[in-house]
Amino acid sequence: MKVLQDLSMSALCGLVAECGEKPFRAKQIFEGLMQGKTLLELPVPAALRSRLLAEYENEPVKIKEVFSSPDGTEKFLFELHDGHLIEGVLMRYRYGNTQCVSTQVGCRMGCKFCASTLNGRLRDLTAGEILAQVAAVNRREGGSLKERRVTNLVLMGSGEPFDNYDNVLAFLKNVTAEGGLHISARNISLSTCGLVPEMRRFAEEGIPLNLTVSLHASTDEERRRTMPIANRFTIAEILDACACYFEKTGRRYIFEYALIDGENADMVHAKRLADLLKGRPCHVNLIRLNEVKERSMRGASEENAQAFLKALTDAGISATVRRSMGADIGGACGQLRAKYLASDGSSEGGRNGS
Ligand code: SAH
């Protein structure tokens, strides 16, 4: 079975024409899906609905559980049509609500501090499966297409977006498209561990979003200790690709830097990081490592984070410490799914073939 949410408006026009239906049906379907409706709920004639249901999943992404934190953060566990589980988070800020979406089931990048990669990558998500996470959450929060309750997106759930390039690109086109959720690219952050060829390719697509790179180290040697991808690409290559993105889009880029006690959080690291980034149109997001049960690394203390921040800003680098939201509900990447799998999630994927 296929995923109807994968289709762009123009692909839906083609599909509707093939079914011998009037063109306005395509718009109805597109809007309905963007509102988070199942195929059964689409306001289309019964004959068209049955044709769609014969080929496409009724509800490819279901909200299976919701966990709420006192700070307003909500964490979602989604079930895919083949039984796989992915997770997402909705964080409330003064300027709107930011949803964190997943792009793959699991991840194969192997970062030592991250829970998403513990079992490797099980499969890529399709464009429609990424989109359906947003549509489902917006609906659940009482949002519509005109009054969205999801205003910002970060591609920081499980998965490496650039390891699923084509589907992520199709998703970005559909989620920013007029007539649908129409989320502005400027309100979307895509985080990559630094796949340089895809970063360069993405610069050519002309999508002016917030390109975010997980740096987490100030030298290649240090980076290789926690991020296997550093064996393939150097920090210098990453910085060049970022410069290329800035040149093409005019958007400054962002570095994620998780402060890990005894690893990358000392003043010598701050100084090196500042030297590395000086004069570049970038921002540094510091976050104290969210401790993951399966990993031995410790997050730096709040005082350490503030001292690191001060060292960067004193050196003229734009930086902030990101509030860690929803830590009590397993806010970090892959934590919820990992916890769920450890309890009774042995059923994940268990519906395959049944
Ligand atoms: N694969 C992409 C996006 C997903 S992770 C990437 O690597 O950028 C989103 C961010 O959370 C990344 O910066 C990632 O390095 C970071 N992250 C992963 N585990 C973390 C943890 N335990 N604590 C803090 N940040 C973490």
Side-chain angles (χ1 to χ4, degrees), residues 59-88:
E59 189 178 14
V61 178
K62 273 194 195 69
I63 296 180
K64 189 175 165 76
E65 284 191 54
V66 183
F67 303 82
S68 303
S69 175
D71 65 15
T73 304
E74 280 184 311
K75 184 119 194 183
F76 299 89
L77 192 67
F78 300 99
E79 184 171 17
L80 306 179
H81 52 83
D82 57 4
H84 280 310
L85 300 173
I86 52 168
E87 56 190 276

Side-chain angles (χ1 to χ4, degrees), residues 113-114 156-157 159-160 191-193 214 216 256 289-290 292 333:
F113 42 77
C114 182
M156 294 194 186
E160 164 50 45
S191 182
T192 176
C193 63
S214 301
H216 305 321
E256 294 282 311
L289 185 82
N290 231 318
V292 175
C333 279

Side-chain angles (χ1 to χ4, degrees), residues 174-230:
N174 280 344
V175 83
T176 53
E178 270 180 51
L181 284 161
H182 198 195
I183 297 182
S184 153
R186 285 163 189 277
N187 293 343
I188 303 178
S189 300
L190 182 152
S191 182
T192 176
C193 63
L195 300 187
V196 167
E198 285 76 14
M199 288 171 70
R200 290 186 165 274
R201 188 175 158 199
F202 192 71
E204 303 294 329
E205 311 282 0
I207 302 179
L209 49 65
N210 307 303
L211 182 66
T212 304
V213 182
S214 301
L215 197 57
H216 305 321
S218 57
T219 67
D220 289 319
E221 195 195 344
E222 202 179 287
R223 197 164 186 260
R224 284 194 286 265
R225 283 207 296 267
T226 53
M227 301 181 72
I229 194 67

Side-chain angles (χ1 to χ4, degrees), residues 26-306:
K27 188 163 176 272
Q28 274 184 335
I29 297 174
F30 189 70
E31 285 180 1
L33 296 175
M34 292 279 181
Q35 286 161 354
K37 293 198 165 128
T38 63
L39 270 54
L40 280 168
E41 292 173 316
L42 291 177
V44 296
L48 177 55
R49 184 175 310 115
S50 339
R51 276 197 68 169
L52 294 175
L53 282 165
E55 275 185 65
Y56 296 93
E57 291 291 342
N58 176 48
E59 189 178 14
V61 178
K62 273 194 195 69
I63 296 180
K64 189 175 165 76
E65 284 191 54
V66 183
F67 303 82
S68 303
S69 175
D71 65 15
T73 304
E74 280 184 311
K75 184 119 194 183
F76 299 89
L77 192 67
F78 300 99
E79 184 171 17
L80 306 179
H81 52 83
D82 57 4
H84 280 310
L85 300 173
I86 52 168
E87 56 190 276
V89 190
L90 189 71
M91 293 157 288
R92 294 167 207 281
Y93 295 100
R94 269 183 306 264
Y95 54 79
N97 296 336
T98 299
Q99 184 178 349
C100 175
V101 297
S102 292
T103 56
Q104 295 178 314
V105 183
C107 181
R108 59 175 173 176
M109 295 298 125
C111 299
K112 294 275 189 330
F113 42 77
C114 182
S116 294
T117 198
L118 287 167
N119 300 315
R121 181 199 62 168
L122 301 183
R123 73 168 171 86
D124 286 336
L125 296 186
T126 73
E129 286 173 324
I130 307 173
L131 186 95
Q133 297 168 51
V134 185
V137 168
N138 187 50
R139 179 183 188 175
R140 198 195 140 88
E141 298 294 316
S144 61
L145 296 186
K146 287 219 165 64
E147 289 219 15
R148 278 181 283 104
R149 291 285 154 81
V150 177
T151 51
N152 299 62
L153 295 177
V154 293
L155 277 64
M156 294 194 186
S158 66
E160 164 50 45
F162 284 161
D163 189 34
N164 184 17
Y165 189 95
D166 292 340
N167 291 339
V168 166
L169 183 65
F171 156 71
L172 289 172
K173 288 188 174 159
N174 280 344
V175 83
T176 53
E178 270 180 51
L181 284 161
H182 198 195
I183 297 182
S184 153
R186 285 163 189 277
N187 293 343
I188 303 178
S189 300
L190 182 152
S191 182
T192 176
C193 63
L195 300 187
V196 167
E198 285 76 14
M199 288 171 70
R200 290 186 165 274
R201 188 175 158 199
F202 192 71
E204 303 294 329
E205 311 282 0
I207 302 179
L209 49 65
N210 307 303
L211 182 66
T212 304
V213 182
S214 301
L215 197 57
H216 305 321
S218 57
T219 67
D220 289 319
E221 195 195 344
E222 202 179 287
R223 197 164 186 260
R224 284 194 286 265
R225 283 207 296 267
T226 53
M227 301 181 72
I229 194 67
N231 292 302
R232 278 176 57 204
F233 305 108
T234 63
I235 293 177
E237 288 171 312
I238 288 175
L239 295 180
D240 280 353
C242 288
C244 170
Y245 190 76
F246 179 75
E247 207 173 283
K248 299 279 178 192
T249 63
R251 303 287 289 165
R252 74 172 184 172
Y253 37 91
I254 297 130
F255 294 107
E256 294 282 311
Y257 196 100
L259 293 163
I260 310 172
D261 189 39
E263 173 62 39
N264 65 359
D266 296 338
M267 288 309 110
V268 41
H269 302 110
K271 168 90 179 52
R272 263 205 311 256
L273 187 62
D275 289 344
L276 194 64
L277 303 182
K278 190 139 199 98
R280 295 180 188 269
C282 68
H283 179 82
V284 178
N285 257 333
L286 299 170
I287 184 163
R288 289 161 57 203
L289 185 82
N290 231 318
E291 282 164 26
V292 175
K293 185 167 80 28
E294 294 81 356
R295 307 294 204 187
S296 57
M297 292 172 201
R298 301 248 148 269
S301 67
E302 182 59 39
E303 304 75 68
N304 188 166
Q306 291 306 327

